[in-house]
Amino acid sequence: MAPQDHRITLLGKPGCHLCDDARAVVERVAADLSVPWEERDITASPEDQAEYWEMIPVVLIDGVQHDYWRVNENRLREALQR
């Protein structure tokens, strides 16, 4: 599967400094590998809040949890290139 065939989702909330750090990593990796990505505010969804509140930021690849709290750039790149 080519990197651009994946989709990254960043789950976070406003005012979260770790989310800001994660966003920078996701933006950089997504741009370098031409991978589409989206950001979702967990405060807009009771289900997301219940599942992810203690772990944000959370990065999903194709809807599957990949990382939380801190996003490792190299690990994200490797996962997208598989």
Side-chain angles (χ1 to χ4, degrees):
M1 182 178 270
Q4 58 270 25
D5 294 334
H6 292 288
R7 180 168 196 83
I8 303 169
T9 303
L10 173 62
L11 304 174
K13 68 175 187 163
C16 166
H17 72 280
L18 290 177
C19 300
D20 295 339
D21 294 344
R23 183 180 311 105
V25 172
V26 169
E27 284 177 338
R28 185 169 46 251
V29 171
D32 288 351
L33 299 177
S34 299
V35 176
W37 75 283
E38 66 180 343
E39 188 167 0
R40 220 163 64 205
D41 178 356
I42 67 164
T43 64
S45 164
E47 293 83 17
D48 284 349
Q49 282 188 44
E51 188 165 350
Y52 298 111
W53 185 262
E54 300 279 328
M55 301 183 333
I56 61 166
V58 176
V59 172
L60 309 176
I61 297 176
D62 302 326
V64 177
Q65 185 175 322
H66 170 73
D67 250 337
Y68 63 96
W69 292 334
R70 301 230 183 253
V71 180
N72 181 294
E73 184 169 343
N74 292 331
R75 193 168 114 73
L76 180 58
R77 284 180 188 278
E78 289 173 8
L80 293 166
Q81 292 175 327
R82 290 188 197 142

